[in-house]
């Protein structure tokens, strides 16, 4: 035991020495502002830094190849919250965060910056030659009001986006970066920061480039904008207790920034809260890919249901849960829908639903926006591939699912009886959606729990400075985007992308004003 403890201490001190300035024999690259991560937050930081000081050298290091750059901002639904009433927005966000309050100073400053953000977004769209519109771009809703009882109608002016769908917002901001003298190094993941071990001041970063470790000097400082840990199942299990979870966004978000921040001396926050602020959604597996499709949210017919591991229904399947980021109200508390605890889950449907509905939503997710994958409109390709099970009877279908045929048949019989009666006495489905599963052949597809993002990371202030447990900023270290997001519990549609802009702009602007680091003689 003593030998093991000494070994751990030795490894710890080796890591500290390697991340300290003294370990750098020569700089492989020098820049003024070093941005780690090329999503919307990183792009906003780069654009704002150059706007504040056009003479700066700005460098972005991106873990993924250019083909897969963009992070979750590329895979997201592209909704932008436009909120022009700061007072109402403060009250609304405070009500959504009661279980883990956001610091009041940060909340107030964020709300005022939100109210002034739209002209800047329009400038980015115009510069990219893209169309900025009100609405989500793929529904007819002008405003998504997630929690009306908490004040959404007063706080949300409307929802906006940048076309095209999918990925229009990300594409516009990438075009803005591409037009500027910004150095972007793809396939260059960050491995560690370079710091003074006593003062924690950040001087640059170690990155992996061209197959070797390289030291990049950042004369003004560093912005960490590498996203969360949603694609790291081990971290999901340890931080959230989730046994199985699949990402809807980039597979590159594996928690790198959190490990780096822990070592850098940052305080952590919002690692779990009451659940995932972005929600746990119903996903469809894509063979050979870590990421999943989002099961469709908009239905032409409703002759379908879902059953849990016990072969029984477990929630109101046709409720518009996307309007609350898949949160349900239980015992007067908003909690994640039970998909995460109900698996394995199967969706069972009949020929009518098969022929009238594409099972997957094609408006966003990584599979659609980045991988270019497709799901056939009539689901026949997926049936032929065996990804969707098909049978002439419910009992035969149950056997193919590996379930008890009698139990599954009994549950469907119960559901069909409620359809005939016009009332769902179990989960109160809207009577309009009570359509029997009656027209063979019959089908089933596994529904997996799918996560949008995680918001945990380093505690930061409104200026995007990363804070220690004592509440002091770590010199020259900034953080932006979903990594260390300010949102602590419930989430209003369009807030993550606009927060990425606000936090990225603050980081870029502040680093542009930071005095250059001068090496000591």
């Amino acid at each position: 035991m003593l030998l093991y403890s000494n070994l751990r201490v030795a490894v710890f001190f080796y890591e500290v020495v390697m991340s300290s300035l003294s370990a750098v024999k020569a700089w492989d690259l020098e820049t003024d502002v070093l941005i780690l991560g090329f999503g919307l937050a990183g792009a906003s930081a780069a654009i704002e830094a150059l706007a504040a000081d056009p003479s700066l050298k700005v460098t972005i290091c991106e873990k993924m190849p250019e083909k897969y750059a963009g992070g979750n901002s590329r895979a997201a639904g592209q909704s932008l919250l436009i909120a022009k009433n700061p007072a109402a927005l403060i009250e609304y966000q405070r009500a959504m965060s009661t279980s883990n309050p956001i610091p009041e100073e940060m909340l107030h400053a964020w709300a005022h910056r939100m109210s002034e953000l739209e002209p800047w977004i329009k400038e980015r769209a115009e510069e990219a030659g893209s169309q900025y519109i009100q609405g989500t771009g793929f529904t007819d809703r002008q405003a998504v009001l997630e929690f009306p009882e908490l004040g959404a109608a007063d706080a949300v002016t409307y929802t906006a986006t940048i076309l095209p769908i999918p990925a229009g917002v990300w594409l516009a901001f990438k075009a803005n970066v591409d037009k500027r003298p910004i150095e972007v190094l793809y396939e260059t993941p960050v491995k560690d920061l370079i710091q003074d071990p006593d003062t924690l001041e950040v001087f640059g970063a170690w990155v992996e480039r061209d197959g070797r470790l390289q030291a990049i000097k950042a004369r003004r400082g560093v912005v960490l904008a590498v996203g969360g840990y949603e694609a790291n199942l081990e971290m999901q299990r340890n931080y959230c207790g989730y046994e199985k979870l699949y990402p809807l966004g980039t597979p590159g978000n594996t928690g790198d920034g959190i490990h780096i921040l822990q070592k850098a001396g940052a305080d952590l926050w919002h690692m779990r809260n009451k659940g995932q602020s972005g929600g746990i959604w119903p996903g469809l597996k894509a063979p050979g890919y870590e990421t999943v499709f989002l099961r469709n949210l908009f239905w032409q017919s409703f002759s379908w249901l879902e059953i849990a591991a016990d072969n029984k229904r477990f929630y109101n399947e046709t409720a518009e849960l996307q309007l609350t980021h898949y949160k349900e109200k239980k015992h007067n508390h908003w909690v994640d829908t039970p998909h995460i605890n109900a698996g394995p889950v199967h969706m069972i449907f009949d020929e009518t639903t098969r022929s009238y509905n594409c099972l997957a939503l094609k408006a966003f997710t990584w599979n659609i926006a980045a991988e270019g994958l497709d799901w056939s409109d009539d689901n026949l390709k997926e049936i032929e591939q065996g990804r969707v099970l098909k049978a002439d009877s419910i009992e035969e279908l149950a056997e193919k699912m590996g379930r008890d045929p009698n139990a599954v048949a009994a549950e469907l019989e119960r559901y069909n009886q409620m359809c005939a009666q016009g009332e769902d006495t179990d989960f109160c489905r809207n009577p309009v959606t009570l359509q029997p599963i009656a027209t063979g052949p019959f089908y089933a597809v596994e529904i997996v729990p799918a996560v949008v993002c995680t918001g945990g990371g380093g505690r930061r202030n409104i200026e995007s400075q990363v804070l220690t447990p004592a509440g002091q900023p770590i010199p020259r270290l900034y953080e932006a985007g979903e990594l260390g997001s300010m949102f602590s519990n419930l989430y209003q549609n369009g807030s993550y992308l606009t927060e990425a802009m606000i936090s990225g702009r603050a980081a870029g602007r502040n680093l542009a004003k930071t005095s250059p680091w001068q090496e000591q003689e």
Side-chain angles (χ1 to χ4, degrees):
M1 178 62 72
L2 180 61
L3 177 62
Y4 173 72
S5 297
N6 288 340
L7 179 62
R8 289 189 64 187
V9 169
V11 170
F12 171 76
F13 279 109
Y14 173 77
E15 289 179 343
V16 169
V17 168
M18 285 304 297
S19 64
S20 69
L21 183 61
S22 62
V24 181
K25 305 305 179 184
W27 297 103
D28 296 282
L29 180 70
E30 296 189 17
T31 190
D32 293 312
V33 174
L34 178 60
I35 299 168
L36 303 171
F38 190 20
L40 192 58
S44 298
I47 293 165
E48 192 72 7
L50 282 178
D53 185 347
S55 69
L56 291 176
K57 180 179 180 182
V58 177
T59 300
I60 300 175
C61 291
E62 166 57 35
K63 177 180 183 179
M64 306 291 276
E66 182 173 8
K67 176 184 177 181
Y68 292 125
N72 281 347
S73 56
R74 181 174 179 177
Q78 309 300 294
S79 289
L80 302 173
L81 170 63
I82 304 301
K84 299 183 179 181
N85 183 339
L89 184 58
I90 290 167
E91 293 298 324
Y92 182 45
Q93 188 61 56
R94 186 189 290 126
M96 288 192 290
S97 311
T98 52
S99 66
N100 191 352
I102 298 169
E104 281 293 311
E105 180 181 358
M106 186 177 196
L107 180 61
H108 282 250
W110 165 78
H112 284 278
R113 293 181 189 190
M114 272 294 311
S115 69
E116 300 168 352
L117 185 61
E118 187 180 33
W120 189 78
I121 302 173
K122 288 182 174 180
E123 287 178 11
R124 305 284 70 78
E126 183 177 356
E127 184 175 331
S130 303
Q131 184 181 359
Y132 174 89
I133 64 167
Q134 291 185 21
T136 65
F138 62 92
T139 72
D140 57 2
R141 288 189 172 92
Q142 289 294 298
V144 179
L145 308 178
E146 300 228 15
F147 302 99
E149 70 271 36
L150 301 182
D154 292 328
V156 178
T157 306
Y158 46 80
T159 300
T161 194
I162 299 174
L163 297 178
I165 299 295
V169 175
W170 156 247
L171 292 172
F173 275 71
K174 184 179 186 299
N176 274 250
V177 169
D178 290 344
K179 293 177 68 174
R180 288 167 169 76
I182 297 169
E183 181 180 38
V184 182
L185 305 177
Y186 295 101
E187 299 181 78
T188 306
V190 57
K191 309 308 282 187
D192 207 348
L193 298 174
I194 298 171
Q195 290 179 279
D196 183 314
D198 297 317
T199 67
L200 301 184
E201 185 172 2
V202 174
F203 302 111
W206 291 103
V207 301
E208 185 178 326
R209 187 178 180 214
D210 298 330
R212 69 183 184 89
L213 206 59
Q214 297 188 20
I216 300 181
K217 177 180 178 179
R219 288 181 284 265
R220 299 296 180 98
V222 173
V223 183
L224 267 176
V226 296
Y229 63 91
E230 60 274 5
N232 186 325
L233 182 57
E234 183 179 4
M235 292 182 74
Q236 289 283 7
R237 287 171 172 169
N238 285 317
Y239 282 112
C240 301
Y242 297 147
E243 180 181 349
K244 184 184 295 185
L245 202 60
Y246 297 85
L248 290 163
T250 173
N253 281 4
T254 54
D256 307 348
I258 291 166
H259 293 144
I260 289 169
L261 286 163
Q262 287 174 315
K263 188 177 173 187
D267 193 18
L268 298 185
W269 70 349
H270 304 159
M271 294 301 292
R272 182 177 189 273
N273 310 300
K274 279 191 172 181
Q276 306 279 16
S277 291
I280 299 174
W281 300 55
L284 301 168
K285 287 182 181 177
Y289 293 85
E290 300 172 51
T291 53
V292 296
F293 288 97
L294 178 61
R295 202 264 308 278
N296 208 340
L297 306 174
F298 311 104
W299 297 92
Q300 306 304 310
S301 63
F302 298 93
S303 52
W304 62 274
L305 55 71
E306 291 179 47
I307 56 173
D310 61 356
N311 301 315
K312 294 185 179 297
R313 293 175 62 216
F314 58 99
Y315 79 118
N316 179 350
E317 302 95 335
T318 59
E320 288 197 293
L321 292 167
Q322 73 274 13
L323 298 181
T324 54
H325 267 75
Y326 268 78
K327 303 287 183 181
E328 282 188 309
K329 201 167 191 178
K330 297 287 188 181
H331 310 297
N332 212 32
H333 293 276
W334 288 97
V335 298
D336 288 323
T337 51
H339 284 84
I340 192 64
N341 299 312
V345 171
H346 279 91
M347 174 186 176
I348 299 174
F349 54 103
D350 69 1
E351 177 65 13
T352 301
T353 287
R354 194 281 305 164
S355 61
Y356 282 98
N357 305 271
C358 175
L359 292 182
L361 183 68
K362 299 187 181 185
F364 52 91
T365 71
W366 188 258
N367 286 349
I368 298 295
E371 296 289 2
L373 300 181
D374 193 19
W375 191 287
S376 62
D377 290 338
D378 56 11
N379 310 293
L380 289 178
K381 181 182 72 175
E382 291 72 25
I383 294 168
E384 182 180 346
Q385 294 171 342
R387 294 158 64 183
V388 176
L389 304 176
K390 176 182 178 181
D392 291 326
S393 70
I394 294 300
E395 290 81 2
E396 180 188 355
L397 188 66
E399 289 180 353
K400 289 186 175 183
M401 287 187 282
R403 295 176 179 269
D404 181 343
N406 293 329
V408 174
E411 187 68 2
L412 261 71
E413 182 180 359
R414 175 176 174 78
Y415 166 77
N416 284 343
Q417 287 175 350
M418 289 190 291
C419 290
Q421 296 166 2
E423 182 183 6
D424 179 2
T425 55
D426 290 342
F427 298 102
C428 301
R429 265 173 70 156
N430 187 322
V432 173
T433 72
L434 289 176
Q435 298 175 0
I437 300 171
T439 305
F442 303 99
Y443 304 92
V445 65
E446 184 179 7
I447 302 297
V448 298
V451 63
V452 174
C453 64
T454 60
R459 182 187 294 271
R460 65 176 180 238
N461 59 24
I462 192 61
E463 296 302 330
S464 297
Q465 295 172 296
V466 179
L467 306 178
T468 68
Q472 298 301 310
I474 296 176
R476 302 179 190 273
L477 181 60
Y478 292 79
E479 176 194 64
E482 287 172 355
L483 178 65
S485 169
M486 64 175 272
F487 302 120
S488 63
N489 186 23
L490 300 182
Y491 173 76
Q492 166 59 42
N493 178 276
S495 295
Y496 273 132
L497 293 185
T498 47
E499 185 199 24
M501 298 176 192
I502 290 171
S503 58
R505 293 182 72 191
R509 180 174 57 250
N510 288 321
L511 281 174
K513 298 175 183 176
T514 301
S515 299
W517 166 52
Q518 301 295 329
E519 290 187 82
Q520 299 297 315
E521 296 294 337

